[in-house]
Amino acid sequence: DIQMTQSPSSLSASVGDRVTITCRASQGISNYLGWYQQKPGKVPKLLIYGASTLQSGVPSRFSGSGSGTDFTLTISSLQPEDVATYYCQKYNLAPFTFGPGTKVDIK
Amino acid sequence: QLQLQESGPGLVRPSETLSLTCTVSGGSISSVIYDWAWIRQPPGKGLEWIGTISYTGDTYYNPSLQSRVTISVDMSKNQFSLNLSSVTAADTAIYFCARQGTWTATVDWCFDYWGQGNLVTVSS
């Protein structure tokens, strides 16, 4: 099965900073990747699908890129409400594996 | 607005079967565009996909759980269910049900609607 890794596992940044999270697949998955945001105590929320397509209603400061094995989620200007854990998820084939998550908080 | 709601016991004894039901409201479970999934999250840990079912009853399971998992659908009640047998403490988690797109959905095979989650503790 394809394994998903994320880096860093956690980060702390200031409001207004540009934040980048990396997701890597152990084999190529084309652009079959989604990103989710899970705020503390809340349900995960789909942010991006197809590696780069923003889900309806998601702020434009979020963006995704990548294809094959390497992907990034970028928050162009970190806001206090972005404190959350972010997960990538592959869906080229089952199993639909999630990455281990990246916890983002405010410095 | 589509809503999903998990229901079931919050405590299950070791070696017994965990059974949860997800009730879908605000939309039909009988869709060729969407499938229906179970995902779990142990306390303080990450997300683990358990399995997915289509309205026709086709299923996909996580290989790590396949021998213990059964997911079924009841279109008459607009519900789908999870059975996980021979549970241990390692199965203690919040169990989420979710709607999953397919290749014809806008969101591809991602999970776009989630229930609030049902914490299940495995303990004697």
Coordinates of all heavy atoms in Angstrom, one line a residue, chain A residues 1 32-34 36 38 42-46 48-50 55 87 89 91-92 94-100, chain B residues 39 41 45-49 52 60-63 96 100 103 106-112 114-117:
Chain A
D1 N 0.8 -1.2 0.0 CA 0.0 0.0 0.0 C 0.9 1.3 0.0 O 2.0 1.3 0.5 CB -0.9 0.0 1.2 CG -2.0 -1.0 1.2 OD1 -2.3 -1.5 0.1 OD2 -2.6 -1.3 2.2
Y32 N -4.4 12.9 -7.3 CA -5.5 12.4 -6.5 C -5.2 12.6 -5.0 O -5.0 11.6 -4.3 CB -5.7 11.0 -6.8 CG -6.0 10.7 -8.3 CD1 -5.4 9.7 -9.0 CD2 -7.0 11.6 -9.0 CE1 -5.7 9.5 -10.4 CE2 -7.2 11.4 -10.3 CZ -6.6 10.4 -11.0 OH -6.9 10.2 -12.3
L33 N -5.3 13.9 -4.6 CA -4.9 14.2 -3.2 C -5.9 15.3 -2.7 O -6.2 16.2 -3.4 CB -3.5 14.7 -3.1 CG -3.1 14.9 -1.7 CD1 -2.2 13.8 -1.2 CD2 -2.3 16.2 -1.5
G34 N -6.3 15.1 -1.4 CA -7.1 16.1 -0.8 C -6.4 16.6 0.5 O -5.6 15.9 1.0
Y36 N -7.4 18.4 4.4 CA -8.4 18.6 5.4 C -7.9 19.4 6.5 O -6.7 19.3 6.9 CB -9.0 17.3 5.9 CG -9.6 16.4 4.9 CD1 -8.8 15.6 4.1 CD2 -11.0 16.3 4.7 CE1 -9.4 14.8 3.1 CE2 -11.6 15.5 3.8 CZ -10.8 14.8 3.0 OH -11.3 14.0 2.0
Q38 N -8.7 20.2 10.6 CA -9.4 19.8 11.7 C -9.1 20.7 12.9 O -8.0 20.6 13.5 CB -9.2 18.4 12.1 CG -10.1 17.9 13.3 CD -9.9 16.4 13.6 OE1 -8.8 15.9 13.5 NE2 -11.0 15.8 14.1
K42 N -13.2 19.6 16.8 CA -14.1 19.7 15.7 C -14.0 18.6 14.7 O -13.0 17.8 14.7 CB -14.0 21.1 15.0 CG -14.2 22.3 15.9 CD -15.6 22.4 16.5 CE -15.8 23.6 17.3 NZ -17.2 23.7 17.9
V43 N -14.9 18.6 13.7 CA -14.9 17.6 12.7 C -14.0 18.1 11.5 O -13.9 19.2 11.3 CB -16.4 17.5 12.2 CG1 -16.4 16.5 11.0 CG2 -17.3 17.0 13.3
P44 N -13.3 17.1 10.9 CA -12.5 17.5 9.7 C -13.3 18.2 8.7 O -14.5 17.9 8.4 CB -11.9 16.2 9.3 CG -11.9 15.3 10.5 CD -13.1 15.7 11.2
K45 N -12.7 19.1 8.0 CA -13.3 19.9 6.9 C -12.5 19.8 5.6 O -11.2 20.0 5.7 CB -13.4 21.4 7.3 CG -13.9 22.3 6.3 CD -13.8 23.8 6.7 CE -14.2 24.7 5.7 NZ -14.0 26.1 6.1
L46 N -13.1 19.5 4.5 CA -12.4 19.4 3.2 C -12.0 20.8 2.8 O -12.9 21.7 2.6 CB -13.3 18.7 2.2 CG -12.7 18.6 0.8 CD1 -11.4 17.7 0.8 CD2 -13.8 18.0 -0.2
I48 N -9.3 21.2 0.1 CA -8.8 21.1 -1.3 C -8.9 19.7 -1.8 O -8.7 18.7 -1.1 CB -7.3 21.5 -1.3 CG1 -7.2 23.1 -1.2 CG2 -6.6 21.1 -2.6 CD1 -5.8 23.6 -0.9
Y49 N -9.3 19.5 -3.1 CA -9.3 18.2 -3.7 C -8.6 18.4 -5.1 O -8.4 19.5 -5.5 CB -10.7 17.7 -3.9 CG -11.7 18.6 -4.7 CD1 -11.8 18.5 -6.0 CD2 -12.4 19.6 -4.0 CE1 -12.6 19.4 -6.8 CE2 -13.2 20.5 -4.7 CZ -13.3 20.3 -6.1 OH -14.2 21.2 -6.8
G50 N -8.3 17.2 -5.6 CA -7.5 17.3 -6.9 C -6.2 18.0 -6.7 O -5.7 18.6 -7.7
Q55 N -12.1 23.8 -2.3 CA -13.5 23.5 -2.0 C -14.3 24.8 -1.8 O -13.8 25.8 -1.4 CB -13.6 22.6 -0.8 CG -15.0 22.3 -0.2 CD -15.9 21.4 -1.1 OE1 -15.8 21.5 -2.3 NE2 -16.7 20.6 -0.5
Y87 N -4.5 17.5 7.4 CA -4.2 16.2 6.9 C -4.3 16.2 5.4 O -5.2 16.7 4.8 CB -5.3 15.2 7.5 CG -5.3 15.0 9.0 CD1 -6.1 15.8 9.8 CD2 -4.4 14.1 9.6 CE1 -6.1 15.6 11.2 CE2 -4.5 13.9 11.0 CZ -5.3 14.7 11.8 OH -5.3 14.5 13.1
Q89 N -4.8 13.4 2.2 CA -5.5 12.1 2.0 C -5.3 11.7 0.5 O -5.6 12.5 -0.4 CB -6.9 12.2 2.3 CG -7.8 10.9 2.0 CD -9.0 11.2 1.2 OE1 -9.5 12.3 1.2 NE2 -9.4 10.2 0.4
Y91 N -6.4 9.4 -2.9 CA -7.6 8.7 -3.3 C -7.4 8.1 -4.7 O -8.4 7.9 -5.4 CB -8.8 9.5 -3.2 CG -8.8 10.9 -3.9 CD1 -9.2 11.0 -5.2 CD2 -8.5 12.0 -3.2 CE1 -9.2 12.2 -5.9 CE2 -8.5 13.3 -3.9 CZ -8.9 13.3 -5.2 OH -8.9 14.6 -5.8
N92 N -6.2 7.9 -5.2 CA -6.1 7.2 -6.5 C -6.7 5.9 -6.5 O -7.3 5.4 -7.5 CB -4.6 7.2 -6.9 CG -3.7 6.4 -6.0 OD1 -3.9 6.5 -4.7 ND2 -2.8 5.6 -6.5
A94 N -8.2 2.7 -3.4 CA -8.3 2.3 -2.0 C -7.1 1.5 -1.6 O -6.5 0.8 -2.5 CB -9.6 1.4 -1.8
P95 N -6.6 1.6 -0.4 CA -7.1 2.3 0.8 C -6.9 3.8 0.7 O -5.9 4.3 0.2 CB -6.4 1.7 1.9 CG -5.1 1.2 1.4 CD -5.4 0.8 0.0
F96 N -7.9 4.6 1.1 CA -7.9 6.0 1.1 C -7.2 6.6 2.3 O -7.7 7.1 3.2 CB -9.3 6.5 1.0 CG -10.1 6.0 -0.2 CD1 -11.2 5.1 0.1 CD2 -9.8 6.3 -1.5 CE1 -11.9 4.5 -1.0 CE2 -10.5 5.7 -2.5 CZ -11.5 4.9 -2.3
T97 N -5.9 6.5 2.3 CA -5.0 6.7 3.4 C -4.8 8.2 3.7 O -4.6 9.0 2.8 CB -3.6 6.1 3.2 OG1 -3.8 4.7 2.8 CG2 -2.8 6.2 4.4
F98 N -4.9 8.6 5.0 CA -4.6 9.9 5.4 C -3.1 10.0 5.8 O -2.5 9.0 6.3 CB -5.4 10.3 6.6 CG -6.9 10.5 6.3 CD1 -7.7 9.4 6.4 CD2 -7.4 11.7 6.0 CE1 -9.1 9.6 6.1 CE2 -8.7 11.9 5.7 CZ -9.6 10.8 5.8
G99 N -2.5 11.2 5.7 CA -1.2 11.5 6.3 C -1.4 11.6 7.8 O -2.5 11.7 8.3
P100 N -0.2 11.7 8.5 CA -0.3 11.7 10.0 C -0.7 13.1 10.5 O -0.9 13.1 11.7 CB 1.2 11.4 10.3 CG 2.0 11.8 9.2 CD 1.1 11.5 7.9
Chain B
I39 N -14.8 6.5 9.1 CA -13.4 6.9 9.4 C -13.3 7.0 11.0 O -14.3 7.4 11.6 CB -13.1 8.3 8.8 CG1 -13.2 8.2 7.3 CG2 -11.8 8.9 9.2 CD1 -13.5 9.5 6.6
Q41 N -10.8 8.0 14.6 CA -9.7 8.8 15.1 C -9.5 8.5 16.6 O -10.2 8.9 17.5 CB -10.0 10.3 15.0 CG -8.8 11.2 15.4 CD -9.1 12.7 15.0 OE1 -10.2 13.2 15.0 NE2 -8.1 13.4 14.6
K45 N -4.9 11.3 18.2 CA -4.2 10.8 17.1 C -4.8 11.2 15.8 O -5.7 12.0 15.7 CB -4.1 9.3 17.2 CG -3.3 8.8 18.5 CD -3.0 7.4 18.4 CE -2.1 7.0 19.7 NZ -1.8 5.5 19.7
G46 N -4.3 10.6 14.7 CA -4.8 11.0 13.4 C -6.0 10.2 12.9 O -6.5 9.4 13.6
L47 N -6.3 10.4 11.6 CA -7.5 9.9 11.0 C -7.1 8.5 10.3 O -6.1 8.4 9.6 CB -8.0 10.9 9.9 CG -8.5 12.2 10.5 CD1 -8.7 13.2 9.3 CD2 -9.7 12.1 11.3
E48 N -8.0 7.6 10.4 CA -7.9 6.3 9.8 C -9.1 5.9 9.0 O -10.2 5.8 9.6 CB -7.5 5.2 10.8 CG -7.3 3.8 10.1 CD -7.0 2.7 11.1 OE1 -7.5 2.8 12.3 OE2 -6.3 1.8 10.8
W49 N -9.0 5.7 7.7 CA -10.2 5.3 6.9 C -10.5 3.8 7.2 O -9.6 3.0 7.2 CB -9.9 5.5 5.4 CG -10.9 4.9 4.5 CD1 -12.1 5.4 4.2 CD2 -10.7 3.7 3.7 NE1 -12.8 4.5 3.3 CE2 -11.9 3.5 3.0 CE3 -9.7 2.8 3.5 CZ2 -12.1 2.5 2.1 CZ3 -9.8 1.8 2.6 CH2 -11.0 1.6 1.9
T52 N -15.7 1.9 2.9 CA -16.7 2.7 2.1 C -17.7 1.8 1.5 O -17.3 0.6 1.1 CB -15.9 3.5 1.0 OG1 -15.1 4.5 1.6 CG2 -16.9 4.2 0.1
Y60 N -15.5 -1.3 0.0 CA -14.0 -1.2 0.1 C -13.6 -1.1 1.5 O -14.1 -0.2 2.2 CB -13.5 0.0 -0.7 CG -14.0 0.3 -2.1 CD1 -15.2 0.9 -2.2 CD2 -13.3 -0.1 -3.2 CE1 -15.8 1.1 -3.5 CE2 -13.8 0.1 -4.5 CZ -15.0 0.7 -4.6 OH -15.5 1.0 -5.9
Y61 N -12.7 -1.9 2.0 CA -12.3 -1.9 3.3 C -10.8 -1.7 3.5 O -10.0 -2.0 2.6 CB -12.6 -3.2 4.0 CG -14.0 -3.6 4.1 CD1 -14.5 -4.9 3.9 CD2 -15.0 -2.6 4.5 CE1 -15.8 -5.2 4.0 CE2 -16.3 -2.9 4.6 CZ -16.8 -4.2 4.3 OH -18.1 -4.5 4.4
N62 N -10.4 -1.0 4.6 CA -9.0 -0.9 4.9 C -8.4 -2.3 5.1 O -8.9 -3.1 6.0 CB -8.8 -0.1 6.2 CG -7.4 0.3 6.5 OD1 -6.5 -0.4 6.3 ND2 -7.2 1.5 7.0
P63 N -7.3 -2.7 4.4 CA -6.7 -4.0 4.6 C -6.4 -4.3 6.0 O -6.5 -5.5 6.4 CB -5.5 -4.0 3.7 CG -5.8 -2.9 2.7 CD -6.6 -1.9 3.4
F96 N -16.3 8.4 12.9 CA -17.1 9.4 12.0 C -17.7 8.6 10.9 O -17.0 7.8 10.3 CB -16.1 10.4 11.5 CG -15.5 11.3 12.4 CD1 -14.1 11.1 12.8 CD2 -16.1 12.4 13.0 CE1 -13.5 12.0 13.7 CE2 -15.5 13.3 13.8 CZ -14.2 13.1 14.2
Q100 N -18.6 10.3 0.8 CA -17.4 10.3 -0.1 C -17.8 10.5 -1.5 O -18.7 9.8 -2.0 CB -16.6 9.0 0.1 CG -15.3 9.0 -0.7 CD -14.5 7.7 -0.4 OE1 -15.0 6.8 0.2 NE2 -13.2 7.7 -0.7
W103 N -15.8 9.4 -8.9 CA -15.1 10.0 -10.0 C -16.0 11.1 -10.6 O -15.6 12.0 -11.3 CB -14.6 9.0 -11.0 CG -13.5 8.2 -10.5 CD1 -13.5 6.8 -10.5 CD2 -12.3 8.6 -9.9 NE1 -12.3 6.4 -9.9 CE2 -11.6 7.4 -9.6 CE3 -11.7 9.8 -9.6 CZ2 -10.3 7.4 -9.0 CZ3 -10.4 9.9 -9.0 CH2 -9.8 8.7 -8.7
T106 N -18.1 16.3 -7.8 CA -17.2 17.5 -7.9 C -15.9 17.4 -7.0 O -14.9 17.8 -7.4 CB -18.0 18.7 -7.3 OG1 -19.2 18.9 -8.1 CG2 -17.2 20.0 -7.4
V107 N -16.1 16.7 -5.9 CA -14.9 16.6 -4.9 C -14.1 15.3 -5.1 O -13.3 14.9 -4.3 CB -15.5 16.7 -3.5 CG1 -16.1 18.0 -3.2 CG2 -16.4 15.6 -3.2
D108 N -14.3 14.7 -6.3 CA -13.6 13.4 -6.5 C -13.9 12.4 -5.4 O -15.0 12.4 -5.0 CB -12.1 13.6 -6.7 CG -11.7 14.4 -7.9 OD1 -12.5 14.5 -8.8 OD2 -10.5 14.9 -7.9
W109 N -12.9 11.7 -4.9 CA -13.2 10.7 -3.9 C -12.8 11.2 -2.5 O -12.5 10.5 -1.6 CB -12.3 9.5 -4.2 CG -12.8 8.6 -5.3 CD1 -12.6 8.7 -6.6 CD2 -13.6 7.4 -5.1 NE1 -13.3 7.7 -7.3 CE2 -13.9 6.9 -6.4 CE3 -14.2 6.8 -4.0 CZ2 -14.7 5.8 -6.6 CZ3 -14.9 5.6 -4.2 CH2 -15.2 5.2 -5.5
C110 N -13.0 12.5 -2.3 CA -12.8 13.1 -1.0 C -14.1 13.0 -0.1 O -15.2 12.8 -0.6 CB -12.3 14.5 -1.1 SG -10.7 14.7 -1.8
F111 N -13.9 13.3 1.2 CA -15.0 13.2 2.1 C -15.5 14.7 2.4 O -14.7 15.5 3.0 CB -14.5 12.6 3.4 CG -13.8 11.3 3.2 CD1 -12.4 11.1 3.2 CD2 -14.6 10.1 3.0 CE1 -11.8 9.9 3.0 CE2 -14.0 8.9 2.8 CZ -12.6 8.8 2.8
D112 N -16.7 15.0 1.9 CA -17.1 16.4 2.0 C -18.1 16.7 3.0 O -18.3 17.9 3.4 CB -17.5 16.9 0.6 CG -18.8 16.1 0.1 OD1 -19.1 15.1 0.6 OD2 -19.3 16.6 -0.9
W114 N -19.4 15.3 7.0 CA -19.0 14.4 8.1 C -20.1 14.5 9.2 O -20.7 15.6 9.4 CB -17.7 14.9 8.7 CG -16.5 14.8 7.8 CD1 -16.3 15.5 6.6 CD2 -15.3 14.0 8.0 NE1 -15.1 15.1 6.1 CE2 -14.4 14.2 6.9 CE3 -14.9 13.1 9.0 CZ2 -13.2 13.6 6.8 CZ3 -13.7 12.5 8.9 CH2 -12.8 12.8 7.8
G115 N -20.3 13.4 9.9 CA -21.0 13.4 11.1 C -20.2 14.1 12.2 O -19.0 14.3 12.0
Q116 N -20.8 14.3 13.4 CA -20.2 14.9 14.5 C -19.2 13.9 15.2 O -18.4 14.3 16.0 CB -21.2 15.4 15.5 CG -21.9 16.7 15.0 CD -20.9 17.8 14.6 OE1 -20.1 18.2 15.5 NE2 -20.9 18.3 13.4
G117 N -19.4 12.6 15.0 CA -18.5 11.7 15.6 C -19.1 11.0 16.8 O -19.9 11.7 17.5

